[in-house]
Amino acid sequence: MNSKQAGVTMDTFLEGIWRQNPVFVMVLGMCPTLAVTVSAVNALGMGVATTFVLVCSCGLISLMRHQIPKEVRIATYIVIIATFVTLVDYIIQAVSLTLYDALGAFIQLIVVNCIILGRVEAHAAKNPPLPAMVNALGMGIGFTLGLLALGSVREILGVGQLFGYTLFGANFQPWVVMVLPPGGFFVLGAWLLLFAVLTKRKQANAAIAESSVQGGRHGA
Amino acid sequence: MPQLLNLLCKGAVMEHESLGQIFIITLLSSNFVLAMFLGLCPFLGVSGRLDTAVPMGIATSFVMLVASLCSYGLNALLAYAGLEFLRLISYIVVIASTVQLVEMVMKKFSPALFRALGIYLPLITTNCAVLGVALFQTARGYDLGQAVAFSLGGGLGFTLALVLMAGVRERLRLSDIPGVMQGTALSLLLAGVLSLAFMGFAGVGVAR
């Protein structure tokens, strides 16, 4: 239904999840990505909080896009984003104090997450509210999936659990470094490496297919 | 294990930390970049060359010090007026204006450097390390002296990490690396090794 109104296509939504995934493709918003992903639950909480801020601020800024003067736009965006982050901060504190303690100052640090400012500047400031919010939702989901991919690997390897459920027997020796700071760098590095290898293989296959087609033509 | 994690991530918050302890802990064992993951964007973006890494580190340290002082005053003011919910907004406005100031000064006195740093200079505003200093010192209830030690340690720690990383990456440019490894993946794995090395400092400055 959405796809017919105001130029919202499936790609507006899917862009953030796959082609422009903020964590694995654009490598944006790394500070929360690495800092809070010691467990899958933290990763999910952070992802949902960021998605909320992203969707709300993109919607509001898109509504106000003709009123905001160009010279002070960045400052205006930051203040709007900070307002929503303060809101989220108080909401999480009210809903789950455990999560609030686990995420700590990183909830407030959503303000300086490059993904949000980047999305606002690149998309919301130029588009009507509906596509802006759909795009922001896609980006948020892509970010959450990226966080979950990191958080679950680190939790499984580091403590042998997933979402708090023990996965292995008593003989499992936890790989403690994975929940410590270096583990964050290693796991994200390994994910990026995996994607680089896959992309390269895909390009190589495409090149082989291309050359065989051309070779066939020459032969004929 | 959770205690160890707590010690590393939260920087061993203690009742009676001396100024020296705070400085050393923030500089080494809970380094802003390598242990607390603050300020990663410039860390990966500007660490390609040593001659841009050093000024970037100094500029960020200066903004951190000013932001720390201002946020200390602001926090006291907001607490007095009972307006704590405005804390985040006022911090970010102060940081943005300080960055603007640094930008203008740098443009006037060193245009070459201004161009070399490019987009990363205004991006100090959205550097988590700067807002992190302000937020963490508020959360830990540091007084003015402690806040200064904290921000100096944080700024120097950021510069240290940036310079170390730039040194490694300058050497790497001359070496033969497989194509898939190049780029962000390699930088992240390098940062992981550096972070592992900095974990060796865990506990420094904690004992009396």
Side-chain angles (χ1 to χ4, degrees), chain A residues 110-142:
Chain A
I110 295 178
V111 178
V112 286
N113 192 326
C114 332
I115 297 171
I116 299 179
L117 201 60
R119 255 317 81 185
V120 163
E121 172 82 4
H123 197 274
K126 295 172 195 148
N127 287 289
L130 188 64
M133 285 172 80
V134 170
N135 184 267
L137 185 65
M139 276 286 160
I141 292 174

Tab-separated table of all heavy atoms in Angstrom, chain A residues 110-142:
chain	number	residue	atom	x	y	z
A	110	ILE	N	24.003	8.118	21.796
A	110	ILE	CA	23.306	7.958	20.510
A	110	ILE	C	23.293	9.294	19.766
A	110	ILE	O	23.284	9.327	18.544
A	110	ILE	CB	21.860	7.444	20.729
A	110	ILE	CG1	21.875	6.045	21.328
A	110	ILE	CG2	21.084	7.390	19.413
A	110	ILE	CD1	20.498	5.491	21.612
A	111	VAL	N	23.303	10.401	20.521
A	111	VAL	CA	23.303	11.729	19.891
A	111	VAL	C	24.401	11.853	18.842
A	111	VAL	O	24.185	12.382	17.761
A	111	VAL	CB	23.542	12.834	20.950
A	111	VAL	CG1	23.578	14.189	20.298
A	111	VAL	CG2	22.507	12.787	22.010
A	112	VAL	N	25.596	11.359	19.180
A	112	VAL	CA	26.725	11.548	18.278
A	112	VAL	C	26.935	10.336	17.375
A	112	VAL	O	27.995	10.157	16.818
A	112	VAL	CB	28.013	11.867	19.060
A	112	VAL	CG1	27.966	13.278	19.578
A	112	VAL	CG2	28.232	10.894	20.181
A	113	ASN	N	25.895	9.514	17.236
A	113	ASN	CA	25.994	8.392	16.308
A	113	ASN	C	25.938	8.926	14.874
A	113	ASN	O	24.964	9.576	14.490
A	113	ASN	CB	24.832	7.431	16.572
A	113	ASN	CG	25.022	6.122	15.859
A	113	ASN	OD1	25.573	6.095	14.771
A	113	ASN	ND2	24.571	5.063	16.474
A	114	CYS	N	26.988	8.643	14.115
A	114	CYS	CA	27.072	9.221	12.754
A	114	CYS	C	25.911	8.770	11.882
A	114	CYS	O	25.523	9.479	10.954
A	114	CYS	CB	28.351	8.843	12.053
A	114	CYS	SG	29.737	8.532	13.092
A	115	ILE	N	25.348	7.595	12.134
A	115	ILE	CA	24.273	7.094	11.275
A	115	ILE	C	23.108	8.070	11.252
A	115	ILE	O	22.552	8.383	10.200
A	115	ILE	CB	23.763	5.735	11.784
A	115	ILE	CG1	24.869	4.703	11.725
A	115	ILE	CG2	22.577	5.258	10.976
A	115	ILE	CD1	24.501	3.424	12.416
A	116	ILE	N	22.738	8.578	12.433
A	116	ILE	CA	21.551	9.416	12.523
A	116	ILE	C	21.768	10.726	11.783
A	116	ILE	O	20.993	11.102	10.905
A	116	ILE	CB	21.181	9.662	13.994
A	116	ILE	CG1	20.887	8.324	14.651
A	116	ILE	CG2	20.001	10.599	14.099
A	116	ILE	CD1	20.526	8.392	16.075
A	117	LEU	N	22.882	11.410	12.102
A	117	LEU	CA	23.149	12.685	11.437
A	117	LEU	C	23.323	12.466	9.937
A	117	LEU	O	22.837	13.252	9.118
A	117	LEU	CB	24.399	13.326	12.042
A	117	LEU	CG	24.505	14.831	11.829
A	117	LEU	CD1	23.321	15.532	12.461
A	117	LEU	CD2	25.793	15.354	12.409
A	118	GLY	N	23.972	11.363	9.579
A	118	GLY	CA	24.182	11.054	8.168
A	118	GLY	C	22.868	10.850	7.431
A	118	GLY	O	22.660	11.377	6.340
A	119	ARG	N	21.957	10.103	8.022
A	119	ARG	CA	20.651	9.829	7.401
A	119	ARG	C	19.843	11.119	7.259
A	119	ARG	O	19.215	11.379	6.254
A	119	ARG	CB	19.865	8.849	8.272
A	119	ARG	CG	19.744	7.431	7.848
A	119	ARG	CD	19.470	7.166	6.432
A	119	ARG	NE	20.637	7.213	5.581
A	119	ARG	CZ	20.593	7.107	4.269
A	119	ARG	NH1	19.451	6.938	3.669
A	119	ARG	NH2	21.677	7.158	3.559
A	120	VAL	N	19.880	11.933	8.339
A	120	VAL	CA	19.116	13.174	8.325
A	120	VAL	C	19.607	14.074	7.206
A	120	VAL	O	18.831	14.586	6.398
A	120	VAL	CB	19.244	13.879	9.701
A	120	VAL	CG1	18.822	15.312	9.602
A	120	VAL	CG2	18.432	13.143	10.738
A	121	GLU	N	20.930	14.231	7.127
A	121	GLU	CA	21.522	15.126	6.141
A	121	GLU	C	21.333	14.587	4.724
A	121	GLU	O	21.022	15.327	3.805
A	121	GLU	CB	23.012	15.289	6.475
A	121	GLU	CG	23.831	16.037	5.459
A	121	GLU	CD	23.716	17.539	5.607
A	121	GLU	OE1	23.058	17.988	6.557
A	121	GLU	OE2	24.276	18.257	4.751
A	122	ALA	N	21.484	13.263	4.560
A	122	ALA	CA	21.485	12.709	3.204
A	122	ALA	C	20.085	12.394	2.695
A	122	ALA	O	19.852	12.390	1.501
A	122	ALA	CB	22.344	11.443	3.164
A	123	HIS	N	19.153	12.102	3.577
A	123	HIS	CA	17.860	11.657	3.091
A	123	HIS	C	16.687	12.485	3.619
A	123	HIS	O	15.919	13.034	2.847
A	123	HIS	CB	17.659	10.175	3.442
A	123	HIS	CG	16.570	9.518	2.654
A	123	HIS	ND1	15.259	9.562	3.047
A	123	HIS	CD2	16.592	8.841	1.488
A	123	HIS	CE1	14.533	8.922	2.157
A	123	HIS	NE2	15.312	8.471	1.194
A	124	ALA	N	16.568	12.594	4.955
A	124	ALA	CA	15.367	13.207	5.526
A	124	ALA	C	15.224	14.675	5.140
A	124	ALA	O	14.116	15.174	4.968
A	124	ALA	CB	15.377	13.066	7.042
A	125	ALA	N	16.371	15.383	4.989
A	125	ALA	CA	16.293	16.809	4.704
A	125	ALA	C	15.838	17.085	3.270
A	125	ALA	O	15.576	18.224	2.920
A	125	ALA	CB	17.655	17.463	4.952
A	126	LYS	N	15.769	16.027	2.442
A	126	LYS	CA	15.397	16.240	1.046
A	126	LYS	C	14.106	15.558	0.664
A	126	LYS	O	13.657	15.657	-0.471
A	126	LYS	CB	16.508	15.702	0.139
A	126	LYS	CG	17.811	16.453	0.273
A	126	LYS	CD	18.898	15.740	-0.499
A	126	LYS	CE	20.267	16.239	-0.091
A	126	LYS	NZ	21.254	15.165	-0.187
A	127	ASN	N	13.501	14.788	1.566
A	127	ASN	CA	12.337	13.986	1.203
A	127	ASN	C	11.168	14.247	2.120
A	127	ASN	O	11.342	14.678	3.257
A	127	ASN	CB	12.703	12.497	1.268
A	127	ASN	CG	13.587	12.091	0.121
A	127	ASN	OD1	13.158	12.013	-1.015
A	127	ASN	ND2	14.857	11.877	0.428
A	128	PRO	N	9.929	13.981	1.634
A	128	PRO	CA	8.750	14.113	2.486
A	128	PRO	C	8.786	13.111	3.649
A	128	PRO	O	9.540	12.135	3.575
A	128	PRO	CB	7.587	13.809	1.546
A	128	PRO	CG	8.147	13.652	0.199
A	128	PRO	CD	9.610	13.617	0.269
A	129	PRO	N	7.988	13.362	4.691
A	129	PRO	CA	8.076	12.564	5.912
A	129	PRO	C	7.932	11.059	5.715
A	129	PRO	O	8.692	10.301	6.312
A	129	PRO	CB	6.921	13.097	6.759
A	129	PRO	CG	6.655	14.438	6.248
A	129	PRO	CD	7.033	14.451	4.813
A	130	LEU	N	6.998	10.616	4.866
A	130	LEU	CA	6.759	9.175	4.794
A	130	LEU	C	7.973	8.401	4.275
A	130	LEU	O	8.447	7.490	4.962
A	130	LEU	CB	5.498	8.887	3.962
A	130	LEU	CG	5.076	7.422	3.995
A	130	LEU	CD1	4.676	7.005	5.400
A	130	LEU	CD2	3.942	7.170	3.026
A	131	PRO	N	8.506	8.753	3.078
A	131	PRO	CA	9.689	8.018	2.642
A	131	PRO	C	10.857	8.175	3.606
A	131	PRO	O	11.619	7.226	3.814
A	131	PRO	CB	10.031	8.621	1.274
A	131	PRO	CG	9.125	9.732	1.052
A	131	PRO	CD	8.036	9.679	2.032
A	132	ALA	N	10.999	9.361	4.218
A	132	ALA	CA	12.104	9.570	5.156
A	132	ALA	C	12.008	8.596	6.326
A	132	ALA	O	12.998	7.991	6.732
A	132	ALA	CB	12.098	11.004	5.666
A	133	MET	N	10.778	8.422	6.862
A	133	MET	CA	10.623	7.545	8.015
A	133	MET	C	10.791	6.082	7.624
A	133	MET	O	11.357	5.291	8.371
A	133	MET	CB	9.275	7.786	8.690
A	133	MET	CG	9.278	9.076	9.491
A	133	MET	SD	7.675	9.528	10.120
A	133	MET	CE	7.558	8.490	11.543
A	134	VAL	N	10.282	5.714	6.427
A	134	VAL	CA	10.440	4.326	5.969
A	134	VAL	C	11.920	4.013	5.794
A	134	VAL	O	12.412	2.973	6.251
A	134	VAL	CB	9.668	4.100	4.653
A	134	VAL	CG1	10.017	2.749	4.059
A	134	VAL	CG2	8.184	4.202	4.888
A	135	ASN	N	12.636	4.957	5.177
A	135	ASN	CA	14.071	4.762	4.983
A	135	ASN	C	14.799	4.655	6.321
A	135	ASN	O	15.663	3.793	6.516
A	135	ASN	CB	14.625	5.934	4.162
A	135	ASN	CG	16.075	5.770	3.836
A	135	ASN	OD1	16.928	6.244	4.568
A	135	ASN	ND2	16.376	5.075	2.763
A	136	ALA	N	14.408	5.520	7.262
A	136	ALA	CA	15.042	5.506	8.579
A	136	ALA	C	14.765	4.181	9.289
A	136	ALA	O	15.649	3.622	9.941
A	136	ALA	CB	14.532	6.662	9.429
A	137	LEU	N	13.542	3.671	9.119
A	137	LEU	CA	13.202	2.391	9.754
A	137	LEU	C	14.080	1.281	9.187
A	137	LEU	O	14.608	0.450	9.934
A	137	LEU	CB	11.718	2.083	9.523
A	137	LEU	CG	11.187	0.839	10.229
A	137	LEU	CD1	11.237	1.031	11.729
A	137	LEU	CD2	9.773	0.523	9.790
A	138	GLY	N	14.251	1.286	7.857
A	138	GLY	CA	15.117	0.283	7.231
A	138	GLY	C	16.533	0.365	7.769
A	138	GLY	O	17.133	-0.645	8.139
A	139	MET	N	17.064	1.600	7.856
A	139	MET	CA	18.416	1.800	8.378
A	139	MET	C	18.520	1.287	9.807
A	139	MET	O	19.485	0.632	10.183
A	139	MET	CB	18.769	3.288	8.381
A	139	MET	CG	19.286	3.804	7.081
A	139	MET	SD	20.961	3.246	6.791
A	139	MET	CE	21.053	3.476	5.036
A	140	GLY	N	17.496	1.615	10.602
A	140	GLY	CA	17.499	1.193	12.001
A	140	GLY	C	17.509	-0.312	12.121
A	140	GLY	O	18.243	-0.880	12.928
A	141	ILE	N	16.675	-0.981	11.291
A	141	ILE	CA	16.627	-2.449	11.343
A	141	ILE	C	17.970	-3.024	10.896
A	141	ILE	O	18.493	-3.961	11.509
A	141	ILE	CB	15.462	-2.978	10.487
A	141	ILE	CG1	14.133	-2.578	11.128
A	141	ILE	CG2	15.541	-4.490	10.358
A	141	ILE	CD1	12.922	-2.920	10.319
A	142	GLY	N	18.557	-2.414	9.844
A	142	GLY	CA	19.865	-2.876	9.392
A	142	GLY	C	20.904	-2.735	10.488
A	142	GLY	O	21.713	-3.634	10.713
